[in-house]
Amino acid sequence: MSEHRQRLSAEERQEEIIRAAVELAGEQGVEGVTTQDMANAVGISQGAIFRHFPSKDMIWLAVIHWVRGRLMSVVDMAADQGSDPLDSLEKMFFAHLGFVDKVPAIPKLVFTDQLLKKNPKIKELIRSILADYEAKVVGLLAQAKAQNLVRQDLDEHGAAVMFTGIIQGLVMRVSIIEARKSLIAEGKLVFPLFLHGIGSVRATGAKQT
């Protein structure tokens, strides 16, 4: 195994460390994860961790970049498969919930005071992720309005805030309060309410299976 690890490029090793940090954060929370834990999970020395990342904060910053890349890839792909802007929003909504289901560390990473307060770069990156995400939702809602799929007095920006707020609320609820419930199942209960709120012409419930 050690020979295999020695053959890894610096980029591959960094990916390993990031993935290990994500898994550990999901299991024990960000505050409980040490660089020694990461080293043990990857199978390298603690010193080797710092040859790839100058500090623990830089590891968590890289983790948030990793989350951003994969989340946006998932939601972009889902939205591209929509038959119309509302269908794209629906697919995006459930793809996001499905992604969080598969990476349970996300709420612990994004809503952890330790990261947000101690590392301004992480806080700014999360703000940037949210801004880009909401801009995508605003764009789809504007298209829906142009196609008369939602009410014409809709405030796209307000609706985008509601869209992301619903997801954040569900993630927090399921991850902290009702851990045994499915995010997808909970999403099916509330997405029709979002459609109704924006005056969707097809506000008859989510079709996701």
Side-chain angles (χ1 to χ4, degrees):
M1 182 174 289
S2 60
E3 290 181 0
H4 167 68
R5 296 195 180 283
Q6 288 172 3
R7 289 198 299 268
L8 291 179
S9 68
E11 186 175 300
E12 289 170 330
R13 179 78 78 232
Q14 288 166 4
E15 175 82 7
E16 254 195 337
I17 294 168
I18 289 168
R19 287 180 177 275
V22 171
E23 282 194 31
L24 288 166
E27 293 169 1
Q28 57 199 59
V30 172
E31 296 87 346
V33 180
T34 67
T35 51
Q36 185 62 61
D37 292 332
M38 298 177 196
N40 292 342
V42 174
I44 58 177
S45 69
Q46 188 178 30
I49 294 284
F50 292 110
R51 286 199 290 274
H52 293 281
F53 296 97
S55 68
K56 188 178 178 182
D57 280 350
M58 291 303 293
I59 297 174
W60 292 124
L61 183 61
V63 164
I64 301 300
H65 275 291
W66 182 91
V67 170
R68 176 184 196 166
R70 279 148 188 79
L71 173 61
M72 295 311 295
S73 176
V74 165
V75 298
D76 284 346
M77 185 180 301
D80 288 344
Q81 295 172 357
S83 57
D84 60 50
L86 287 185
D87 192 40
S88 291
L89 280 171
E90 185 172 332
K91 284 181 165 55
M92 184 175 167
F93 180 88
F94 285 100
H96 189 154
L97 294 182
F99 179 76
V100 177
D101 255 343
K102 292 178 182 176
V103 189
I106 288 179
K108 296 177 183 178
L109 291 165
V110 176
F111 301 115
T112 299
D113 283 345
Q114 181 182 0
L115 292 184
L116 296 177
K117 290 180 179 177
K118 286 182 62 178
N119 194 326
K121 290 183 178 179
I122 287 181
K123 187 172 185 177
E124 186 56 38
L125 178 56
I126 291 175
R127 282 178 176 169
S128 174
I129 294 170
L130 184 58
D132 290 347
Y133 193 102
E134 288 185 353
K136 184 174 184 64
V137 176
V138 166
L140 288 169
L141 289 168
Q143 292 176 34
K145 184 187 285 189
Q147 296 177 29
N148 294 314
L149 297 175
V150 296
R151 68 174 195 262
Q152 289 303 297
D153 65 345
L154 178 69
D155 179 344
E156 296 99 319
H157 293 278
V161 171
M162 180 168 67
F163 184 94
T164 55
I166 290 171
I167 292 174
Q168 290 165 357
L170 287 175
V171 169
M172 291 295 287
R173 174 188 171 92
V174 171
S175 65
I176 296 176
I177 302 173
E178 300 183 275
R180 283 182 278 184
K181 289 200 172 182
S182 159
L183 269 174
I184 298 295
E186 294 295 283
K188 288 180 180 179
L189 295 177
V190 300
F191 193 75
L193 299 177
F194 171 76
L195 291 177
H196 180 77
I198 63 176
S200 164
V201 298
R202 62 178 186 85
T204 57
K207 301 178 296 181
Q208 189 75 13
T209 59

